[in-house]
Amino acid sequence: DAGVIQSPRHEVTEMGQEVTLRCKPISGHDYLFWYRQTMMRGLELLIYFNNNVPIDDSGMPEDRFSAKMPNASFSTLKIQPSEPRDSAVYFCASTRTSGGHNEQFFGPGTRLTVL
Amino acid sequence: SQQGEEDPQALSIQEGENATMNCSYKTSINNLQWYRQNSGRGLVHLILIRSNEREKHSGRLRVTLDTSKKSSSLLITASRAADTASYFCATDASGANSKLTFGKGITLSVRP
């Protein structure tokens, strides 16, 4: 398996622009997580899905952030409009809960810079 | 505040020495996991220990769990320069639907 795939790997945009981050989870995994990582705040859980349904979006910082999972193999995280404080590395992770083992598999991340 | 709090925040050791990292947490857990993150990469799962286990080994890794103290330790024996990375503990709180809560991480530097 190719693992969790994220695109783009790097994104540089200007304040006010729309940003869309993409994730393909590992086939057969039924949970998908979006995280944001910064030096100041560490790794923050933004939202997660189970079987394509959003379960908990309490970590989404503002209405400017939205996430969708239209099918089991694809998810997007959208920021509109983007702001400089959104600059961070965004990770997608997936897992399959089986036998009490729920280790998460992370993608390589998208490094977002908002100028 | 974070569920998992690691200490120390940074650790620098010589190649061949052992590295011990600690994690404390606040609520009841199903399991506790340790992850490694190399610079510029995503997190990689290292080891999982369930709440009814006290110690687990995997290669050069040894993890302990003390649920009475709500703490865990990760020991890396005979460290190598390639072990240089950030290490995170993550807790799976009971009934949390696979959600993990990560600590802020420990930066380990292994000097050749």
Side-chain angles (χ1 to χ4, degrees):
Chain A
D1 200 318
V4 176
I5 298 172
Q6 291 187 248
S7 66
R9 293 294 308 279
H10 301 272
E11 177 81 28
V12 180
T13 190
E14 292 190 347
M15 183 173 64
Q17 296 297 306
E18 178 180 296
V19 175
T20 299
L21 311 181
R22 297 173 177 79
C23 175
K24 177 178 167 55
I26 292 174
S27 176
H29 283 191
D30 55 351
Y31 281 88
L32 183 141
F33 304 83
W34 282 101
Y35 294 91
R36 177 173 69 176
Q37 186 177 39
T38 61
M39 289 293 291
M40 289 296 292
R41 301 170 74 97
L43 193 67
E44 303 173 276
L45 176 65
L46 301 177
I47 184 172
Y48 72 100
F49 296 82
N50 177 219
N51 292 322
N52 314 340
V53 176
I55 301 300
D56 183 353
D57 65 354
S58 60
M60 296 285 261
E62 298 170 34
D63 290 346
R64 299 184 296 106
F65 285 69
S66 62
K68 294 181 180 179
M69 192 164 186
N71 57 61
S73 58
F74 184 65
S75 177
T76 59
L77 178 68
K78 186 174 292 187
I79 308 172
Q80 166 63 18
S82 58
E83 297 183 3
R85 59 192 167 125
D86 302 331
S87 297
V89 181
Y90 290 81
F91 288 103
C92 175
S94 68
T95 191
R96 180 182 61 193
T97 304
S98 173
H101 286 258
N102 59 348
E103 51 264 47
Q104 295 184 10
F105 294 80
F106 281 73
T110 295
R111 182 174 295 276
L112 174 65
T113 303
V114 183
L115 303 173
Chain B
S1 63
Q2 299 279 5
Q3 161 75 322
E5 299 276 351
E6 298 100 336
D7 81 88
Q9 290 189 327
L11 182 61
S12 181
I13 59 174
Q14 199 72 35
E15 202 165 28
E17 294 179 339
N18 296 340
T20 299
M21 291 166 272
N22 303 300
C23 171
S24 60
Y25 58 93
K26 296 182 172 64
T27 64
S28 297
I29 60 171
N30 284 325
N31 64 61
L32 185 144
Q33 305 178 27
W34 285 90
Y35 288 76
R36 183 187 72 225
Q37 183 179 33
N38 289 93
S39 181
R41 302 286 186 93
L43 281 71
V44 175
H45 179 262
L46 293 177
I47 193 165
L48 179 154
I49 186 164
R50 299 188 190 196
S51 59
N52 61 353
E53 298 175 314
R54 291 296 166 259
E55 187 172 314
K56 206 163 181 180
H57 297 254
S58 176
R60 293 184 296 113
L61 304 180
R62 173 178 168 254
V63 172
T64 62
L65 180 65
D66 187 334
T67 53
S68 66
K69 295 181 179 178
K70 291 186 168 60
S71 67
S72 172
S73 67
L74 172 67
L75 169 68
I76 303 175
T77 60
S79 64
R80 306 166 181 168
D83 295 327
T84 295
S86 293
Y87 291 81
F88 295 83
C89 71
T91 49
D92 172 12
S94 300
N97 286 328
S98 283
K99 172 182 171 180
L100 297 179
T101 303
F102 287 82
K104 289 197 171 182
I106 298 169
T107 301
L108 172 66
S109 298
V110 181
R111 303 185 300 274

